[in-house]
Amino acid sequence: MESAKQAFNYVSETVQGAASGASKEANKEVAKDGNVPIGTRATAAKDALSDKFEESGHDSKAEAHKKVAKA
């Protein structure tokens, strides 16, 4: 039962990590776009950094759940 829970948590964290990664990439594109106002670009750059931290956190949690599920 615990392995199934850990497997579910692994999938959940993997999906959340992928969503954060997609958001990060979208924000990076906005930050690089010279046709966007500077304030919007700065906010997008800040959001991309935040998304990167979230992505890393979810990826780390997913790996931990994967290891526990295999044990």
Side-chain angles (χ1 to χ4, degrees), residues 25-36 40-42 44-45:
E25 292 302 319
N27 281 317
K28 281 173 48 178
E29 291 303 313
V30 171
K32 291 190 245 178
D33 189 346
N35 295 320
V36 175
T40 302
R41 292 176 66 190

Side-chain angles (χ1 to χ4, degrees), residues 3-21 54-66 69:
S3 290
K5 180 180 175 185
Q6 294 301 327
F8 174 80
N9 288 337
Y10 166 74
V11 172
S12 176
E13 291 293 344
T14 301
V15 169
Q16 291 177 54
S20 293
E54 285 182 22
E55 178 184 30
S56 295
H58 288 302
D59 290 348
S60 295
K61 288 178 184 176
E63 190 60 32
H65 288 300
K66 181 178 175 182

